[in-house]
Amino acid sequence: MARNWTLGGEIDIEDCDVLRLDLTTADMPEDEIKQYVDDQPGHRSWCDTFEVPKLSDAIKTLFEAYGDFDKVVTPGGKVFDRAGPVPV
């Protein structure tokens, strides 16, 4: 079943090949997402929502939509590359 995954983040200043997410949430109401973004002005370069079943699917879609980076790091420290999760 598809969920609305909202991801928000910014490119790492030290390593422009890494996108660091500070928001990964499923099915958050739109007004709560807006409030979260408004509470942290200038903290993220973008925020987008993808309708997919799992977070890994949302990250895969993110790579396809915004392909200017090689790795994605979630707020919990999990790393993904274009092939999927990277073992730590």
Side-chain angles (χ1 to χ4, degrees), residues 9 11 21 33 43 46 56 71 74 79 81 87:
I11 297 292
L21 299 178
I33 293 168
H43 188 56
W46 60 270
S56 58
K71 290 186 178 151
T74 68
V79 179
D81 64 14

Side-chain angles (χ1 to χ4, degrees), residues 13-65:
I13 294 170
E14 303 290 323
D15 184 352
C16 62
D17 290 333
V18 176
L19 176 68
R20 296 200 178 276
L21 299 178
D22 62 6
L23 174 63
T24 56
T25 186
D27 300 327
M28 179 185 270
E30 200 167 309
D31 58 332
E32 286 183 33
I33 293 168
K34 183 180 181 328
Q35 186 62 51
Y36 183 92
V37 172
D38 289 348
D39 285 348
Q40 300 182 39
H43 188 56
R44 80 186 36 76
S45 57
W46 60 270
C47 187
D48 205 346
T49 300
F50 306 100
E51 190 173 346
V52 292
K54 300 181 294 189
L55 175 60
S56 58
D57 296 327
I59 291 174
K60 181 177 180 182
T61 306
L62 178 68
F63 273 118
E64 293 167 359

